[in-house]
Amino acid sequence: MAVARLAAVAAWVPYRSCGWAAAPVGPHRGLGALLALIPQRAPRWLPACRQKTSLSFLNRPDLPNLAYKKLKGKSPGIVFIPGYLSYMNGTKALAIEEFCKSLGHACIRFDYSGVGSSDGNSEESTLGKWRKDVLSIIDDLADGPQILVGSSLGGWLMLHAAIARPEKVVALIGVATAADTLVTKFNQLPVEDSGRKNYISLCSA
């Protein structure tokens, strides 16, 4: 993994009527800066009528089927990992896909099991199960090296996915990554508190 590219932050600002552009925040590099390192880049802005993604489902025999939308394009691809109970049709997910379209890069956005159009029950969801969802997307849908973009809780799952799949993840972009929140909440729970046990249950697979 290219360590110098990790923990970048992308800020999204309106650009024309057909999409969004990435602008770097402070000393950090945004998604545009990472993709700019790739040679033979496609034209920065294409016509307004571009390729559209359709809803598909990743069938998993022993796990809930996952709803996703995949934009075909060049490598590295982008996988957007949403926040807690967030949908793949959220503002950030759509903005990132639109930006990838403008550069000709592949992009995948999806719903966790029990969320949005995916199968499953949200009340039975755990962080461990959502981690498996992310790994399923990377293993079964993503072609070649990937840049993971994790928002809020998705940033925590992004870190786990990068550790589990170092051969496929080439860079990380955290958007208000909630990793420290989870650790802080856990440490604040008293050992004798039943809430600590519930928290462990929530995080287990």
Side-chain angles (χ1 to χ4, degrees), residues 4-25:
R5 301 181 187 177
L6 300 185
V9 178
W12 298 91
V13 294
Y15 190 88
R16 299 185 182 178
S17 60
C18 59
W20 297 68
V25 178

Side-chain angles (χ1 to χ4, degrees), residues 24 32 66-67 74 81 84 112 124 146-147 150 195-196:
L66 298 180
K74 61 185 179 181
I81 306 175
Y84 178 67
Y112 297 119
E124 299 175 354
Q146 300 294 310
I147 297 175
R196 194 178 183 95

Side-chain angles (χ1 to χ4, degrees), residues 156-181:
W156 177 247
L157 296 172
M158 168 189 74
L159 297 175
H160 279 273
I163 294 172
R165 299 293 185 270
E167 70 282 358
K168 293 200 70 171
V169 179
V170 296
L172 306 176
I173 297 179
V175 184
T177 301
D180 54 345
T181 300

Side-chain angles (χ1 to χ4, degrees), residues 3-81:
V3 178
R5 301 181 187 177
L6 300 185
V9 178
W12 298 91
V13 294
Y15 190 88
R16 299 185 182 178
S17 60
C18 59
W20 297 68
V25 178
H28 303 287
R29 288 183 175 180
L31 180 58
L34 291 178
L35 295 182
L37 298 175
I38 308 303
Q40 299 180 346
R41 185 172 58 176
R44 191 166 183 79
W45 290 104
L46 304 180
C49 295
R50 294 196 290 265
Q51 176 187 354
K52 293 185 178 181
T53 54
S54 58
L55 181 65
S56 302
F57 289 88
L58 175 60
N59 297 318
R60 304 185 297 174
D62 301 322
L63 296 170
N65 297 330
L66 298 180
Y68 71 93
K69 291 190 176 183
K70 181 177 181 179
L71 174 70
K72 295 182 180 180
K74 61 185 179 181
S75 182
I78 311 299
V79 177
F80 179 74
I81 306 175

Side-chain angles (χ1 to χ4, degrees), residues 58-60 70 135-143 168:
L58 175 60
N59 297 318
R60 304 185 297 174
K70 181 177 181 179
L135 295 179
S136 292
I137 295 294
I138 294 174
D139 292 342
D140 300 331
L141 296 179
D143 301 317
K168 293 200 70 171

